[in-house]
Amino acid sequence: MPPGILTLAAEEAPTLSAANTGFMLICSALVMLMTPGLAFFYGGMVRVKSTLNMLMMSFVSLGIVTVLWVLYGFSIAFGTDTGSLVGWSSDYAGLSGIGRDELWGATTIPVFVFAAFQLMFAVITPALISGALADRVKFGAWALFIALWATVVYFPVAHWVWAEGGWLFEMGVIDFAGGTAVHINAGAAALAVILVIGKRVGFGKDPMRPHSLPLVMLGAALLWFGWFGFNAGSWLGNDDGVGAVMFVNTQVATAAAMLAWLGYEKVRHGACTTLGAASGAVAGLVAVTPAGGSCSPLGALAIGAVAGLLCAMAVGLKYRFGYDDSLDVVGVHLVGGVVGSVLVGFFATGGVQSEAKGLFYGGGAEQLVKQVVGVAAVLAYSLAVSAVLALVLHKTIGMRVDEDDEVSGIDQVEHAETAYDHSGAGGGTAPRKAAPATAATTPATQQKKVDA
Amino acid sequence: MKLITAIVKPHRLDEVKEALQAFGVQGLTVSEASGYGRQRGHTEVYRGAEYTVDLVPKIRIEVLVEDDDAEQLIDVIAKAARTGKIGDGKVWSVPVDTAVRVRTGERGPDAL
């Protein structure tokens, strides 16, 4: 992500590019689609009784984070830097002082477009966390967590990584589209929260099979599709073809990761599974996100393959260590994000996002060290602050639903709905408030009596 | 009268139904069932987590017949349901004291 550093600005002041603006609006819409895509991806992986809750945990982020983004999020993330840690610009608060033709930095797109594009990143990042918390978290507590987490973790970290003046940005850490700010950030937060709230009832004993793999596939496909906007859009325009390279790298890494995951499964478990294909694809998407802007397609292929393999191995860790990362947010997003971010230090070819070259391209270990610092910083900050947030919520309003409710199904308790009607006779449901029905039937009954 | 119950693989239902019709059976009841025999279900793998699925889906077919037809009908069903692979199911019969056709009140063999 290079806000404001498109090189064409050197000679003359940039003017609004209709092509880039249109491209970026489409990319923003693609990234928006990732959040409901994620909801389906996660929703299919849980048991029938908590399908809706899983969908809602992601979907509600579209509501909460959007509102916060307008009020102060954009300003904290991309306002004028203060001490390398946060930004603030009163014009950005409430998006109140931005002209519709005002351009973002030295780019050729309006600030509004940049704000919309970045908003979608801010929306999906907390939604990613929800997969670790399946089946057991109060919806109200989750909503509050999203609001707090976005405020004190996501917005500042986005500033560190992507905003001019942010300390990781200035250090030269390469994170093209969100390996650290999105995936490591969310993965570390997921780990922190599950360590605070504990395991699902019956974890490791009861079967917790995905209830709908077709839904998982649908979600993975939507994620893959939306990810083109996520990655290809992160150059904030496509004047020089970088967006196109990023598009290709995204596809290549995802394909390689899917095959690597399937290969691992075939050797280890004897079958290539649907869930493995979907998971491998997501692992590849995660890993190429930070790296794809600075590597070649062959580099992307290697990064995807390594990520697919390592993430496939990592998802088993929860059974070994006994933490209940329900849908493997740590195994896929944290591990995938770390793999992609660190591999930038090996595969950066120089001259795209940054002149820095990786270890395999004669650049020495300098970039690798920067990448490791970036990974460690975001991981540690997110882990610590998320743990504190979760602990405070858990000790005050409580983050978990009652055990009985968790066993009988969180959908019904938290949302007063269930995802599927399994009763052939219509579930025996009757309107609880019979007032309109009574009003309608009473005159009819009276009429009947009169007739009689 | 006898009640013949057959537990068969779901995809053999059509063959069994056709065989019963060809035999002249007037009616039958079909329900979804699940269970296991000697094969003890199967294993499924989700991101490396293995689950043993003991109960596999089956179809239960129930037919009321006259005593004389029972043995032959059991053979008909078994033949139609057979794939030769493990998990083909079972067929058995039990004696029935009474049967009533609800619409007319007819009893015994007349009710079939």
Side-chain angles (χ1 to χ4, degrees):
Chain A
M1 178 70 41
I5 58 162
L6 278 185
T7 49
L8 56 87
E11 305 87 38
E12 51 188 282
T15 53
L16 190 148
S17 158
N20 281 345
T21 300
F23 171 71
M24 288 307 298
L25 284 172
I26 290 169
C27 285
S28 306
L30 282 171
V31 182
M32 180 273 158
L33 192 61
M34 291 171 71
T35 297
L38 181 79
F40 288 126
F41 180 64
Y42 283 166
M45 269 190 273
V46 293
R47 290 165 287 176
V48 165
K49 62 184 180 181
S50 45
T51 311
L52 294 178
N53 178 250
M54 202 66 254
L55 295 176
M56 277 292 280
M57 293 232 285
S58 295
F59 208 77
V60 76
S61 182
L62 279 161
I64 295 169
V65 178
T66 301
V67 171
L68 299 184
W69 187 252
V70 171
L71 295 179
Y72 57 75
F74 183 54
S75 189
I76 293 177
F78 292 102
T80 307
D81 178 69
T82 311
S84 302
L85 294 176
V86 290
W88 187 261
S89 298
S90 54
D91 283 354
Y92 291 173
L95 303 183
S96 53
I98 306 168
R100 71 178 181 191
D101 57 351
E102 186 182 326
L103 298 185
W104 173 249
T107 70
T108 56
I109 61 169
V111 177
F112 266 116
V113 175
F114 180 71
F117 183 63
Q118 283 296 333
L119 161 63
M120 302 312 173
F121 283 60
V123 163
I124 194 171
T125 307
L128 289 171
I129 303 169
S130 66
L133 317 178
D135 297 355
R136 59 198 190 280
V137 171
K138 286 180 191 167
F139 187 65
W142 167 247
L144 197 53
F145 178 82
I146 288 186
L148 296 171
W149 190 84
T151 303
V152 299
V153 181
Y154 183 79
F155 300 155
V157 168
H159 182 81
W160 298 359
V161 175
W162 288 325
E164 280 185 69
W167 72 281
L168 293 176
F169 181 83
E170 295 299 332
M171 186 197 286
V173 173
I174 295 176
D175 182 357
F176 194 81
T180 54
V182 175
H183 298 288
I184 294 174
N185 205 356
L191 182 58
V193 180
I194 54 185
L195 290 177
V196 170
I197 67 168
K199 307 167 194 176
R200 285 169 291 180
V201 174
F203 173 70
K205 297 194 290 280
D206 299 343
M208 294 175 176
R209 284 184 288 162
H211 90 280
S212 171
L213 287 169
L215 214 55
V216 174
M217 275 305 219
L218 171 70
L222 286 173
L223 279 170
W224 192 333
F225 179 67
W227 224 293
F228 288 119
F230 200 74
N231 284 352
S234 282
W235 194 243
L236 307 181
N238 195 31
D239 285 335
D240 50 4
V242 173
V245 171
M246 190 64 196
F247 189 105
V248 170
N249 283 348
T250 303
Q251 178 70 8
V252 168
T254 309
M258 178 170 78
L259 296 184
W261 190 302
L262 289 177
Y264 173 80
E265 274 191 336
K266 183 67 185 170
V267 172
R268 184 81 177 69
H269 305 290
C272 297
T273 69
T274 315
L275 184 57
S279 311
V282 173
L285 290 163
V286 169
V288 79
T289 294
S294 55
C295 68
S296 68
L298 278 178
L301 198 146
I303 289 167
V306 172
L309 194 62
L310 289 182
C311 291
M313 295 163 83
V315 295
L317 294 178
K318 64 180 177 183
Y319 299 109
R320 187 173 303 169
F321 294 122
Y323 62 87
D324 184 8
D325 175 12
S326 316
L327 311 182
D328 301 308
V329 181
V330 177
V332 175
H333 293 277
L334 180 56
V335 172
V338 169
V339 167
S341 297
V342 170
L343 288 184
V344 170
F346 292 91
F347 287 99
T349 54
V352 183
Q353 183 183 1
S354 139
E355 292 299 322
K357 290 186 176 177
L359 206 54
F360 293 164
Y361 290 84
E366 191 188 344
Q367 190 60 35
L368 180 60
V369 170
K370 288 179 184 173
Q371 294 304 113
V372 171
V373 169
V375 165
V378 174
L379 204 162
Y381 180 74
S382 179
L383 200 61
V385 179
S386 308
V388 170
L389 287 180
L391 206 56
V392 168
L393 289 179
H394 199 48
K395 296 289 179 195
T396 52
I397 60 174
M399 282 201 80
R400 288 188 69 146
V401 296
D402 288 345
E403 192 172 319
D404 283 354
D405 293 338
E406 186 184 324
V407 171
S408 61
I410 193 167
D411 283 1
Q412 211 275 318
V413 180
E414 288 291 306
H415 305 290
E417 295 170 305
T418 45
Y420 306 99
D421 182 357
H422 285 299
S423 105
T429 51
R432 189 163 156 230
K433 289 177 186 162
T438 313
T441 51
T442 308
T445 313
Q446 284 171 346
Q447 186 68 43
K448 211 172 176 182
K449 278 177 186 166
V450 173
D451 287 347
Chain B
M1 286 175 299
K2 292 265 196 306
L3 170 66
I4 298 176
T5 303
I7 305 293
V8 303
K9 285 182 171 169
H11 73 275
R12 300 305 291 179
L13 174 60
D14 281 347
E15 280 79 359
V16 174
K17 226 165 54 182
E18 282 163 19
L20 287 172
Q21 277 161 4
F23 188 82
V25 169
Q26 297 291 323
L28 77 169
T29 304
V30 174
S31 46
E32 289 177 14
S34 54
Y36 62 80
R38 288 186 197 169
Q39 87 276 19
R40 297 288 296 196
H42 59 268
T43 305
E44 295 181 7
V45 188
Y46 298 95
R47 279 185 179 161
E50 293 192 5
Y51 294 109
T52 304
V53 181
D54 265 348
L55 302 175
V56 292
K58 296 287 174 190
I59 291 287
R60 172 202 288 262
I61 301 165
E62 288 164 309
V63 194
L64 275 174
V65 294
E66 294 197 49
D67 289 340
D68 294 345
D69 294 335
E71 279 302 318
Q72 205 184 341
L73 205 55
I74 287 173
D75 289 342
V76 166
I77 294 174
K79 195 172 158 218
R82 185 174 300 134
T83 68
K85 293 189 187 136
I86 203 153
D88 269 354
K90 293 245 182 321
V91 190
W92 64 84
S93 71
V94 289
V96 173
D97 291 337
T98 313
V100 180
R101 172 171 284 122
V102 175
R103 175 169 55 85
T104 59
E106 290 164 288
R107 285 179 165 264
D110 291 341
L112 297 183

